[in-house]
Amino acid sequence: MRAVTWQGKRDVRVETVPDPTIEHPTDAIIKVTSTAICGSDLHLYEVLGPYMTAGDVLGHEPMGIVEEVGSAVTNIGVGDRVVIPFNIACGSCWMCDHDLMSQCETTQVHEHGTGAALLGFSKLYGQVAGGQAEYLRVPQAQFGPIPVPDGPVDERFLFLSDVLPTAWQGVEYAAIPDDGIVAVFGLGPIGQMSSRIARHRGARVIAIDNVPERLELARRHGIETIDERDVEHVGEALRDLTGGRGPDSAIDAVGMEAHGSPVAAAAQAATGLLPDGVARKMMEKVGVDRLSALLSCIDAVRRGGTVSILGVYGGMTDPLPMMQMFDKQVSLRMGQANVKRWIDDLMPLVTDDADPLGVEDLASHRLPLDDAPWAYEAFQKKKDGAIKMVLQP
Ligand SMILES: NC(=O)c1ccc[n+]([C@@H]2O[C@H](COP(=O)([O-])OP(=O)(O)OC[C@H]3O[C@@H](n4cnc5c(N)ncnc54)[C@H](O)[C@@H]3O)[C@@H](O)[C@H]2O)c1
Ligand SMILES: [Zn+2]
Ligand SMILES: [Zn+2]
């Protein structure tokens, strides 16, 4: 089959690889019909290379049609239309029972001390072959796959794999009070959907980015925006818009590659030049994250407010302003989305033909699998109006 493979920093190629087969009774094979590229894939493309091996199949946002199931898989059958969560969870361990599927004790990656294995996401998360491919082996298929109805286009459901549950969890964790105000930093797909979900749930939303078409997309969905290029200081601008106090909550939908962090950017570039083993040690021992978005969240949120971190961070000793965080009495929540925890909340919204979250107005590009190298580059460089890239194998 054809699959998108990681080959090196900023180098992905579509190659012919062996078709996946059932390896465990709990596996299923799906024929992929749509599969998206995520901001998390960009971290693999740019800074997490030391954890990748040339030839790794990328992708963790797939959906498709069930081709084959293992003997222990009874919840889905051949021909079913399913969306696959990005985290691989068993559904029956202590963590899964407590709705913490991203910490599943059956699939945790002990070698790296990390949580649940993820599709297509480096050695840190189990080096499982991903879903930007014609076919995908789905581990733990007795629990993971989300059946969806036939009829509507793929994009109505595709974002249940990651973007929607991630954004939903980000809004939950932001603990926005009734009639409260939330600032959303970053208007990539995750920030777009966090903004729409918070607004749908009654909050006033002010979103921040500096990419014109992303700001425009947010405004089209009724979101107030701040173009970073227009203000000297984002925190001050947010206080000006909120009676001087600041928003009740802030969501970081940016992560480790934020712009405006020149020192950490240099550290990231430097680790990219080191041999993998040395680079991994450096990433594990020193602060290599670009923290500007997180620092803005901490600065902007009102005293006693909550910062909800969706953006992925990877440094082990990032310097944070502990005095400011303690003095302001800031609550912090973060983590990978527990995808299946939020599906019951989201399903009524994505099956509603009125499309209340506008899921059919998120993808900027729909492309054949073979165009993946261009799609990664355009998405990373934000060229050609790239906001969300959907590949159709
Ligand atoms: N927690 C989870 O389970 C989970 C799931 C999916 C994605 N993520 C993470 O969420 C983050 C966003 O993903 P995405 O797909 O939307 O990526 P993206 O790269 O398309 O979006 C990031 C956006 O942030 C903007 N930005 C950069 N620096 C900024 C700053 N200082 N202030 C405000 N905006 C800034 C960029 O212009 C861009 O529009 C990534 O870190 C990704 O890894 C986390
Ligand atoms: Zn993703
Ligand atoms: Zn589990």
Side-chain angles (χ1 to χ4, degrees):
M1 66 164 183
R2 303 287 285 162
V4 180
T5 61
W6 184 94
Q7 297 293 346
K9 185 170 180 173
R10 276 175 244 145
D11 181 6
V12 304
R13 290 179 222 160
V14 181
E15 298 206 318
T16 300
V17 304
D19 285 358
T21 53
I22 300 274
E23 294 172 17
H24 304 283
T26 48
D27 287 349
I29 305 290
I30 69 159
K31 183 178 190 336
V32 178
T33 54
S34 292
T35 184
I37 304 177
C38 178
S40 299
D41 294 319
L42 294 181
H43 305 320
L44 306 177
Y45 191 64
E46 185 68 34
V47 295
L48 292 181
Y51 295 98
M52 299 296 287
T53 306
D56 281 351
V57 177
L58 295 166
H60 60 266
E61 302 190 356
M63 69 177 288
I65 306 293
V66 179
E67 279 272 313
E68 199 184 341
V69 294
S71 56
V73 178
T74 53
N75 51 319
I76 52 167
V78 173
D80 287 357
R81 189 184 196 198
V82 291
V83 178
I84 309 302
F86 76 95
N87 30 49
I88 302 170
C90 74
S92 55
C93 70
W94 191 93
M95 289 291 168
C96 286
D97 279 347
H98 288 77
D99 285 332
L100 291 164
M101 293 80 178
S102 68
Q103 312 299 330
C104 174
E105 287 172 340
T106 306
T107 73
Q108 280 175 11
V109 182
H110 299 296
E111 193 190 335
H112 292 284
T114 46
L118 307 178
L119 289 176
F121 215 82
S122 84
K123 295 191 188 83
L124 279 177
Y125 290 101
Q127 205 171 26
V128 182
Q132 288 162 8
E134 288 179 295
Y135 294 91
L136 169 69
R137 179 180 73 89
V138 182
Q140 303 293 337
Q142 82 292 349
F143 174 68
I146 303 160
V148 295
D150 291 326
V153 294
D154 275 6
E155 275 161 49
R156 184 76 77 73
F157 307 116
L158 178 63
F159 305 121
L160 291 172
S161 56
D162 178 343
V163 176
L164 287 171
T166 296
W168 193 276
Q169 178 166 307
V171 171
E172 283 280 331
Y173 284 10
I176 310 161
D178 288 345
D179 302 318
I181 309 170
V182 61
V184 176
F185 285 79
L187 280 171
I190 300 294
Q192 298 285 343
M193 279 303 167
S194 301
S195 301
R196 294 184 204 175
I197 288 169
R199 184 164 185 270
H200 174 78
R201 294 172 54 163
R204 178 179 168 206
V205 184
I206 309 169
I208 303 99
D209 205 310
N210 67 2
V211 181
E213 63 274 14
R214 294 179 180 218
L215 292 159
E216 174 50 36
L217 177 60
R219 284 193 291 268
R220 188 151 88 226
H221 289 269
I223 310 298
E224 284 174 66
T225 59
I226 295 175
D227 185 337
E228 262 186 288
R229 296 166 307 175
D230 295 343
V231 298
E232 217 161 277
H233 188 280
V234 174
E236 289 303 333
L238 280 164
R239 282 185 278 279
D240 286 346
L241 287 169
T242 55
R245 189 174 289 139
D248 301 294
S249 310
I251 295 176
D252 173 346
V254 180
M256 62 168 100
E257 293 176 76
H259 48 69
S261 308
V263 176
Q268 284 179 350
T271 52
L273 300 175
L274 299 170
D276 284 359
V278 181
R280 281 201 292 269
K281 283 221 167 51
M282 177 149 165
M283 293 177 100
E284 283 153 17
K285 293 273 178 300
V286 280
V288 292
D289 286 323
R290 297 163 69 168
L291 294 172
S292 66
L294 178 55
L295 295 176
S296 293
C297 287
I298 294 165
D299 166 60
V301 76
R302 70 156 161 80
R303 289 176 178 275
T306 302
V307 174
S308 169
I309 308 175
L310 288 175
V312 169
Y313 288 93
M316 281 296 267
T317 54
D318 289 324
L320 286 174
M322 283 309 297
M323 177 186 165
Q324 186 188 29
M325 289 157 72
F326 184 86
D327 176 64
K328 286 182 70 171
Q329 211 168 333
V330 171
S331 297
L332 269 187
R333 287 199 79 178
M334 65 192 88
Q336 303 275 12
N338 303 298
V339 171
K340 290 211 70 175
R341 166 70 181 87
W342 311 111
I343 297 304
D344 288 347
D345 296 293
L346 287 161
M347 199 53 94
L349 300 172
V350 298
T351 48
D352 180 345
D353 284 335
D355 192 11
L357 297 179
V359 291
E360 290 188 40
D361 185 29
L362 182 65
S364 54
H365 292 70
R366 297 158 188 91
L367 301 159
L369 199 68
D370 279 334
D371 288 353
W374 181 85
Y376 268 82
E377 195 197 329
F379 184 41
Q380 187 195 39
K381 299 210 169 106
K382 303 181 178 73
K383 58 183 200 192
D384 199 42
I387 297 178
K388 184 70 175 174
M389 317 304 266
V390 175
L391 302 172
Q392 297 165 322

